[in-house]
Structure formats: C-alpha cells, structure tokens
Amino acid sequence: MVLSASRVSSLPRRLILNKRGLATPSTLPIKDCTSITPPYSRLLKTLDQVRDVLPTGSKLTLAEKILYSHLRNPEESLGGGNGSNTKIRGERYLKLRPDRVAMQDASAQMALLQFMTCRLPSCAVPASIHCDHLIQAQTGAESDLTRSIEQNKEVFDFLQSAAKKYGIEFWKPGSGIIHQIVLENYAAPGLLMLGTDSHTPNAGGLGMLAIGVGGADAVDALTDTPWELKAPLITGVKLTGELKGWATPKDLILHLAGKLTVRGGTGRIIEYFGPGVSAQSCTGLATIANMGAEVGATTSTFPYSDNMRQYLHATGRGPVAEAADDAAKKGFLSADEGAEYDEVIEINLSELEPHLNGPFTPDLATPLSSFSNFLNTNKYPTTLSSALIGSCTNSSYEDMSRVASIAEQAKAAGLKSKVPFLVTPGSELIRATVEKDGLQDTLESVGATVLANACGPCIGQWKRDDHKGEDNAILTSFNRNFKARNDGNLKTMNFLASPEIVTAMAFSGDLNFNPTTDSIPTPNGPFKFTPPSGDRLPPTGYSAGDLSYAPSPSPVPQPDTEIAISPSSTRLEILEPFGTNFEGGKGELPPMRCLMRVKGKCTTDHISAAGAWLKYKGHLSNISENTLMTAVNDENNSINKAVDVDGGEDTIPRTMQKYKERGEPWMLVVDDNYGEGSAREHAALQPRFYGGAMIVARSFARIHETNLKKQGILPLWFLDKADYSKISAHDHVSTIGLEQVMDGTSTSDIITLRVERPSGEVEEIKTRHTLSKDQIEWLRFGSALNYIGAKAREASA
C-alpha cells in the first residue's frame, strides 16, 4: 500500500500510541465545560431517591439509571405500585427533566415559532441550533455553501435572531451536521438530551440518552415543563468477539436492523453490553446508536468506556471525562450486575461480515457474500451510478482514515473512481483535520468531490440532474433509504453500507463486485484490495478549522433583539394557535368523515416531503400543500388521489383544504408503523392545520404518535388490525367512550368507533388509546402548547 507523505510522517507516532495505549494528543484548547458536564451530584441523589421508591434490591439497567435520575418526582412516576409486582417498563409515564436541547435548522424553525408563543425571556436549559439541512449539494463545498446561504438568508437570519434573543448557541451554515457537532461538543456520559431530529440518538455513542422528538416536545424542555415519556422496554444487545477484516460498527447495526425490522425497536431503548462493547471506538458506537432510529428505537446507549474517555480528552472536554470517571466509580454509568432486559440479542462480532441494506427500506439486510445473487434474483440494476460517503452516520475521523487507506491502495494501482464519488465531512473539525492529515488530497486524487459540511444528499439536498426517472442504484454510507429520499427519483435504489464498502465498490462500478474476494483488472494485472486500516483518533490531534462557524459558549439572552420575520415572507409565518374540538365541555369528537385509507408504508417523508419543501419549514400554510402527496390510497391504489367532499376526485392536500374551508373535521385510516422515519413534526402539524381530528392505525411509530398528540390529533390503534379495511372514504365516524376517558370516569383504554357508511349500514369498531393524564389535557385544549399557555396564565393570575 502506498501512503501519502503526511500519512507516512504520522505513522511512527500512531504505532507508538497504539502500542502504549496512550491518550491521543489534542491540539484543541480545553473547553469551558460548565454547561456541558452532567449534574452528576444531583443525578446520583435522585437515583438514591429512586431506589427508596422501587422494591428493595431492584437491579437497574444503564438506560433506567439515566432515565430515572432525571425524574422530577420519583414517587409520582414510579411509586404507588404493589411491591415486587410494580410494573414500570411499557406501563408508566415518566415526567423528566432533560439537560439539553439541540435543533437543526429545518426543524428549529417550527420549534422556535412554538416557543415564541410561550412569551418567555430565555430557555430553561442549554440549547443549540445547527444550520445543516438547508445546504444543497451540487458542485462542491465552497460554491454550494455560498449559494445556499444566499438562498436561505431569511431563514438563517430568523434563527440567528431568535438564538440571540433567547440565549441559544447558533452554529452557522458550514459548521457541520447537528449530530456530529453534538458528539464533538455537547454529548456526555449520563446526559439526557432532546433533539428535533430522529437521528439525535447518535450522541448515545458517548454513553448518554439522546432522544429524537418533535418541536413541541423540545418546547417542554425549553420552558421547564415536565417532559413525558412512556417508560420504554429495554432490549439488551450482548456483543462478544471482535470485528475482523472489512467488518465495521456500521455492519453491526445493518445486521441488527435486518433482525429487528423497522418496527422491532418501537417503544424500546437498545442497551449494548458485553465484552465486545469496550473494544469499539466512541465514534463507532455513535454510528450504531445513530441507526437505532431505523428500527424505531427510542434511543440507544452503551456503558462508559476508555474509548469514550479518550474521545472526550481529544475533543477538549477533559473536565467532562474526569467528572464521568468519578460518577462511574459510584456505579452510575453502567448497568447493575444482574439487571434484566426485556429481550436479549447476542451478536458475535467475530462472525460478522459486511452488509448492504435496501433498497427502499433500511431493514432489508443482505450479507456482502450474498449481495450479487440478491441483485440478480430481484433483477435490480448491477451498475453503480453514484457512491456517497459521510453524513451524520459515518463521517468520523476513523471513517475517513479507513476510506483513505482504500483510496491509497487504488491510487497505487492506477485506479480512479468509475462513478461520481461524493464525500460529506460531518463537521468543520473533521474537514479541517482530514485536510491537515492529507486524507482529503488522497480522496480527491482518485476522483472524489468533497461537499459542504452539511446533510446534503442524505436528506434530499442533492441537485442530481442525471438518471431522472430511470432505474438506477447508488451506494451510500447514510442511514435511511426510502424512495425518492436522496434525489427525488422514485426509481433510485439506495443500498446502505459502510463507507469502506461504498468506496471500494466505486472503483469497480459493478455491484456484483465483492471487494473482500474479487479483483479489478488493470494494465498491470489483477488488483485486489487488502482490508482497510485507519486511526480512531487523529494521531497529531484535531484541527479546529474555521472558528467563525462556532458560537460563543453559553451566550447571555438579549431580550431586546427583534425576531427577523418579514410579514411578506413565503418561508416564515407567525404560528397561530389551533382551536379545540371540545368547546363547551364536549367529551366526544364531533362526527368526522373519513378522508382516505392510507396503504402500506407511510413514513414522515410521505406525509411531509423534504427535499425542495424544506424551504417552507417555517411557513405552515405553504408546506401543508405537500401533505401525504406521495401516500398510496388503499381504495384506488393511486398516489395522491382522494375522494373529495363532493364525491369527485382530487389531490389529497386539496381535498383536505376543501374540508377545512367547509369547517368539516375529518379522520384518516392508516397502516402499520405509520409515521416511521424522521422526527418531522410537520407530519402532524399539517393534517391538524387542515382540520384533521383523528387518525386510526394498525400501529404508530413512537415519535409520530407523540407529535400527533402534541398537536391535538387523537391517535387510536385498531384492536383487530383486520378492521383497517372496514372504514372507507366518506364513511361518517364518531367516537364512543372518549368522554369518559376525558373526564376521568373510565380507566379503560378502549374507545369504540361508530362507523356509518353511505349505504346507511352501521358498524362499531374497537380501538385503544394511549393517552396519559397530561395528554388528555393536550387534546382538550387543542394542543400541548395551548395547555402549557393556559397553565402559565393560571399560575400568574
């Protein structure tokens, strides 16, 4: 293998570090860690109170320790049980006090618009805004960033002005992807953080609980309102053995996604344990936690390890590591010996091989050795059209250095990428360090184009002019691969893989190529890759890069700051409170007409598309015009077609608009795992904006069900999934039993639906609700924000 000059110069230092196990040096200054160090003393004190409430001798998992130590009142959340029969997981609602909130620029708009309605002078907890979603990949980092800043100026100005007014740290466009920035700057063992993005769990790589939520949930934390979470079940994943050859942490989570499916983690926290955990790098653990979102998990976490400690020191957070060391000695940052899990999955890392997942769903897992046969059996394209690495899932220094080792091998053999090869650094810290160490030069020398430090193609911000409307296959190291997600083309098949596999295959251009066994012909004879190698942390330390992107830590709120929203803007509008369906104390929803029955997979991408629509995230009226526009109608098997109010046919959004204009409430019937995918609260806001009152599902994805409740839409689950087909467009649907739930006279979770069909036939269908006491109030008041506002006015009266 041929090494670049900078890599050769660093080699002796790397060998010494690996041999002696010394901490990787950091060229970064030690940060002020006051606001980022978890309040361990308070958490341990609360945990002592928890143990007094729980049955004597209770053994807690790590996830439970972190959750329960953030309870506002342990007795209220955990008490009142019957001794050893106390059932908490999957039953109790926990009222929690999160430590921090992180928001990306697309979702931050609505989160802040909702926060503004609370009329508070500042945030109750530290918070940050990250400008990463609105930067479109087209030609390269510099030009893409310049153009995107110009196109999104009014949104960035709004976010920056709000950050200044309320004391929020504002990371400018170009600083990096929210999850990488959080891992490098804010994540800490034992912390509880909320983030307005479904891949917030990425920060779990540092032994914390990071949970993706909608903006209204974030407002709970920002206003010091108790944040409510139904106590998750805990799935334990025991790791044994060690990764070998081409296998990576990404392959572990790709393999696990295949085992659990996109619904297997719903209502659960995944907690990893066993001898295989401590051997993984901190950033490798973050990759695993990141894609826990793809199985529906609430979040993922790992016990505190030496690799986490080294990462904290390397990123200038030595004081956090020292505080965590002390907390770990007191038993806080690992599970109790003998703690029990609701399910245990054991994975032998020594037997793991690279996987490729897809197309169109992240849980269709195929081992690399079987991938060629999989493609040919399904008659999928075998010619690779593009290769993309980076994203919030795989853009660490370790990822980039291992990829560079593959590129160096290819370069020495005279090879260049046969397809467009796009590289997305996760942050300015990574970009600058990769440049310093010569890795960027190596990648560019074999044909790579380095994009801006932003989400880019991973979330649909990719201006791709070729292959429009054509069947084609791409390989990415991303986390999600739903139809049309990356380039807007429903026919683009995105196969998820490790950055190492993606890179190696780029030099072949043939998806039948297996880099672990096959050779590539060259003028000098067949060439075969050797397994990649790299550094977990940069041998000579990280380079901070352009510091102008970063905010000053813990800024003081400036209440006189004027929020930048133009009255004529098409991208931002002040949020008006929703009305309530329970005026006059009525306890049942008004009679509704069924708008449609949604068929099959319906993700938040289907409900509220991203891509070009991201520019309207702060303008509810405009973005609502995309509502369910790629959903399939089960009654006519068509996309974006519904029976309108007069019995004709129209698009789904226009049909909703007509119901709204008439003042007629409506409801939806939806399939399994409705709302899977991104933590996109617009997918709940938009139907509510158009007058949607109830959604009945075979099952819901966790974040989306909560988002619906927050916005005042009643989510119900069919008791018998077969009843899904018994409600059709234009049926009149009424609730029976909701009034007793609302007034507290019923402890049953059953609500009956009375369905009256146009023929006059009437049928009653059983459903169940999952409303907590507080969530009933959200419904009564029309939204969680309305309820928060009413309580605040009552307190100040």
Side-chain angles (χ1 to χ4, degrees):
M1 179 171 62
V2 178
L3 295 175
S4 63
S6 62
R7 296 274 284 165
V8 171
S9 66
S10 72
L11 187 58
R13 176 64 173 162
R14 179 168 67 251
L15 290 176
I16 292 172
L17 290 171
N18 286 344
K19 183 176 180 180
R20 297 185 181 178
L22 301 176
T24 298
S26 174
T27 55
L28 302 178
I30 296 177
K31 295 182 173 72
D32 178 355
C33 296
T34 305
S35 68
I36 61 177
T37 302
Y40 290 123
S41 295
R42 190 193 80 203
L43 300 179
L44 287 163
K45 182 179 179 181
T46 302
L47 199 56
D48 286 340
Q49 297 171 5
V50 166
R51 293 192 185 278
D52 289 339
V53 172
L54 295 177
T56 303
S58 294
K59 305 293 187 181
L60 299 179
T61 66
L62 170 61
E64 288 175 311
K65 287 184 180 181
I66 300 175
L67 276 181
Y68 297 170
S69 66
H70 286 85
L71 287 170
R72 288 173 175 265
N73 184 329
E75 178 63 38
E76 179 185 1
S77 291
L78 306 178
N82 184 21
S84 61
N85 295 322
T86 301
K87 175 70 171 160
I88 296 172
R89 298 181 196 168
E91 300 288 339
R92 298 294 189 91
Y93 279 90
L94 309 177
K95 292 187 176 182
L96 301 161
R97 179 187 287 109
D99 298 305
R100 173 173 289 277
V101 171
M103 300 170 279
Q104 40 93 335
D105 50 358
S107 57
Q109 296 170 61
M110 191 54 66
L112 290 170
L113 288 167
Q114 292 178 88
F115 178 73
M116 286 163 56
T117 68
C118 300
R119 305 287 193 269
L120 294 177
S122 63
C123 299
V125 297
S128 56
I129 297 171
H130 306 263
C131 296
D132 63 353
H133 271 54
L134 299 179
I135 301 167
Q136 186 184 59
Q138 186 173 346
T139 57
E142 185 174 352
S143 58
D144 290 348
L145 184 59
T146 299
R147 182 182 60 258
S148 296
I149 290 175
E150 291 174 354
Q151 292 174 344
N152 298 289
K153 184 178 186 302
E154 66 172 311
V155 173
F156 295 145
D157 286 349
F158 161 66
L159 295 175
Q160 190 164 21
S161 66
K164 185 176 180 181
K165 184 179 184 72
Y166 299 119
I168 302 171
E169 295 188 13
F170 179 77
W171 292 80
K172 296 178 181 178
S175 59
I177 305 172
I178 176 173
H179 310 304
Q180 187 71 22
I181 296 289
V182 166
L183 192 71
E184 294 167 355
N185 294 273
Y186 301 128
L191 198 77
L192 175 62
M193 186 187 82
L194 304 184
T196 58
D197 189 282
S198 59
H199 291 106
T200 297
N202 186 85
L206 255 170
M208 60 181 284
L209 294 184
I211 301 176
V213 297
D217 277 40
V219 171
D220 284 349
L222 295 174
T223 59
D224 197 29
T225 300
W227 179 65
E228 193 172 71
L229 175 71
K230 194 171 191 177
L233 301 176
I234 314 292
T235 293
V237 178
K238 182 178 182 180
L239 301 183
T240 61
E242 59 180 326
L243 295 172
K244 297 179 180 179
W246 289 78
T248 69
K250 179 64 166 274
D251 298 301
L252 167 61
I253 190 60
L254 292 175
H255 169 70
L256 186 60
K259 292 175 70 71
L260 290 177
T261 79
V262 292
R263 297 195 294 272
T266 303
R268 293 172 177 263
I269 290 176
I270 300 177
E271 181 173 318
Y272 294 80
F273 67 101
V277 173
S278 59
Q280 307 309 310
S281 67
C282 179
T283 53
L285 297 180
T287 293
I288 297 167
N290 180 295
M291 279 197 67
E294 269 45 75
V295 300
T298 301
T299 192
S300 302
T301 195
F302 309 83
Y304 183 51
S305 68
D306 185 59
N307 284 324
M308 294 180 191
R309 178 184 299 107
Q310 290 190 28
Y311 185 76
L312 286 168
H313 281 286
T315 51
R317 291 173 289 171
V320 175
E322 292 165 5
D325 289 343
D326 185 57
K329 292 175 184 176
K330 297 174 182 176
F332 181 51
L333 300 179
S334 59
D336 288 336
E337 186 71 30
E340 295 183 357
Y341 300 93
D342 296 285
E343 175 187 18
V344 174
I345 299 170
E346 185 165 340
I347 298 176
N348 185 345
L349 299 177
S350 300
E351 298 173 353
L352 192 68
E353 68 169 297
H355 279 61
L356 297 98
N357 286 29
F360 307 136
T361 184
D363 61 345
L364 182 55
T366 305
L368 177 59
S369 59
S370 306
F371 189 59
S372 178
N373 183 61
F374 169 78
L375 294 173
N376 294 319
T377 299
N378 289 281
K379 295 182 171 54
Y380 289 145
T382 58
T383 299
L384 181 62
S385 64
S386 285
L388 302 94
I389 64 170
S391 83
C392 67
T393 323
N394 282 102
S395 56
S396 67
Y397 187 87
E398 180 180 23
D399 290 324
M400 294 302 175
S401 65
R402 284 172 61 86
V403 162
S405 77
I406 295 171
E408 287 166 342
Q409 294 180 55
K411 182 179 179 181
L415 297 174
K416 282 202 169 188
S417 175
K418 290 189 176 180
V419 298
F421 180 31
L422 306 181
V423 179
T424 302
S427 67
E428 173 62 7
L429 183 78
I430 295 298
R431 186 214 61 78
T433 308
V434 164
E435 181 182 49
K436 168 181 70 77
D437 290 354
L439 308 186
Q440 180 172 329
D441 287 343
T442 297
L443 294 173
E444 289 178 335
S445 71
V446 294
T449 298
V450 177
L451 302 176
N453 310 322
C455 298
C458 184
I459 58 152
Q461 289 284 34
W462 182 19
K463 191 176 187 304
R464 190 187 190 203
D465 295 325
D466 57 340
H467 300 286
K468 286 185 177 179
E470 299 176 2
D471 285 325
N472 74 103
I474 64 175
L475 285 178
T476 79
S477 67
F478 303 162
N479 45 36
R480 199 159 277 167
N481 57 354
F482 303 137
K483 285 186 178 182
R485 179 176 176 86
N486 304 116
D487 61 1
N489 180 5
L490 288 166
K491 295 185 176 182
T492 294
M493 301 177 188
N494 177 2
F495 295 96
L496 307 173
S498 69
E500 292 90 334
I501 292 297
V502 174
T503 301
M505 283 199 170
F507 293 104
S508 169
D510 181 0
L511 291 175
N512 287 309
F513 174 69
N514 182 341
T516 71
T517 59
D518 299 343
S519 298
I520 299 175
T522 75
N524 298 318
F527 163 75
K528 183 177 180 297
F529 287 108
T530 59
S533 62
D535 300 294
R536 291 181 167 181
L537 296 170
T540 58
Y542 284 106
S543 174
D546 188 344
L547 294 176
S548 67
Y549 291 129
S552 299
S554 304
V556 176
Q558 300 185 35
D560 294 335
T561 303
E562 183 177 350
I563 300 293
I565 299 180
S566 168
S568 61
S569 174
T570 60
R571 298 191 61 176
L572 296 162
E573 70 174 351
I574 298 296
L575 190 66
E576 297 296 333
F578 293 128
T580 176
N581 288 308
F582 301 95
E583 292 288 357
K586 294 178 182 178
E588 302 289 349
L589 282 174
M592 301 156 280
R593 271 206 280 183
C594 177
L595 188 138
M596 66 178 289
R597 192 167 64 230
V598 178
K599 178 181 179 180
K601 182 188 282 284
C602 190
T603 70
T604 49
D605 282 45
H606 292 86
I607 307 168
S608 177
W613 289 93
L614 284 175
K615 61 178 174 285
Y616 297 125
K617 281 280 191 174
H619 200 290
L620 186 55
S621 301
N622 284 345
I623 197 171
S624 293
E625 294 181 8
N626 76 8
T627 309
L628 284 164
M629 63 186 298
T630 58
V632 178
N633 190 325
D634 187 52
E635 295 180 67
N636 56 29
N637 210 37
S638 299
I639 294 175
N640 199 23
K641 288 184 180 179
V643 179
D644 74 7
V645 292
D646 297 316
E649 188 176 86
D650 208 335
T651 67
I652 296 170
R654 280 201 295 267
T655 301
M656 292 177 175
Q657 289 171 9
K658 290 175 182 178
Y659 275 108
K660 181 178 181 179
E661 288 166 1
R662 293 191 179 195
E664 292 187 35
W666 51 267
M667 55 84 67
L668 287 175
V669 174
V670 298
D671 217 324
D672 264 319
N673 208 32
Y674 181 73
E676 168 195 347
S678 299
R680 195 166 295 166
E681 71 176 332
H682 289 75
L685 281 161
Q686 292 169 214
R688 181 74 167 94
F689 175 72
Y690 279 147
M694 179 174 74
I695 297 179
V696 189
R698 281 176 162 161
S699 64
F700 289 97
R702 176 193 64 85
I703 297 177
H704 187 63
E705 184 185 22
T706 301
N707 286 347
L708 291 171
K709 294 175 182 177
K710 286 279 186 178
Q711 303 307 335
I713 292 179
L714 174 63
L716 296 175
W717 300 58
F718 285 110
L719 275 188
D720 182 349
K721 289 188 177 185
D723 288 342
Y724 159 85
S725 60
K726 293 181 179 179
I727 306 176
S728 304
H730 276 229
D731 287 352
H732 282 83
V733 182
S734 303
T735 59
I736 302 173
L738 179 60
E739 182 171 10
Q740 288 70 39
V741 172
M742 298 281 283
D743 64 21
T745 59
S746 172
T747 58
S748 172
D749 63 354
I750 302 300
I751 292 176
T752 301
L753 300 182
R754 184 180 188 274
V755 181
E756 182 177 349
R757 302 188 176 95
S759 65
E761 179 187 4
V762 175
E763 182 170 5
E764 292 189 353
I765 295 173
K766 299 291 185 183
T767 68
R768 67 179 178 90
H769 75 84
T770 59
L771 297 166
S772 69
K773 183 178 177 181
D774 281 350
Q775 291 168 355
I776 290 170
E777 297 305 310
W778 302 346
L779 194 65
R780 189 193 312 279
F781 280 83
S783 74
L785 279 179
N786 290 352
Y787 178 54
I788 291 172
K791 289 190 69 175
R793 289 190 294 273
E794 181 182 315
S796 61

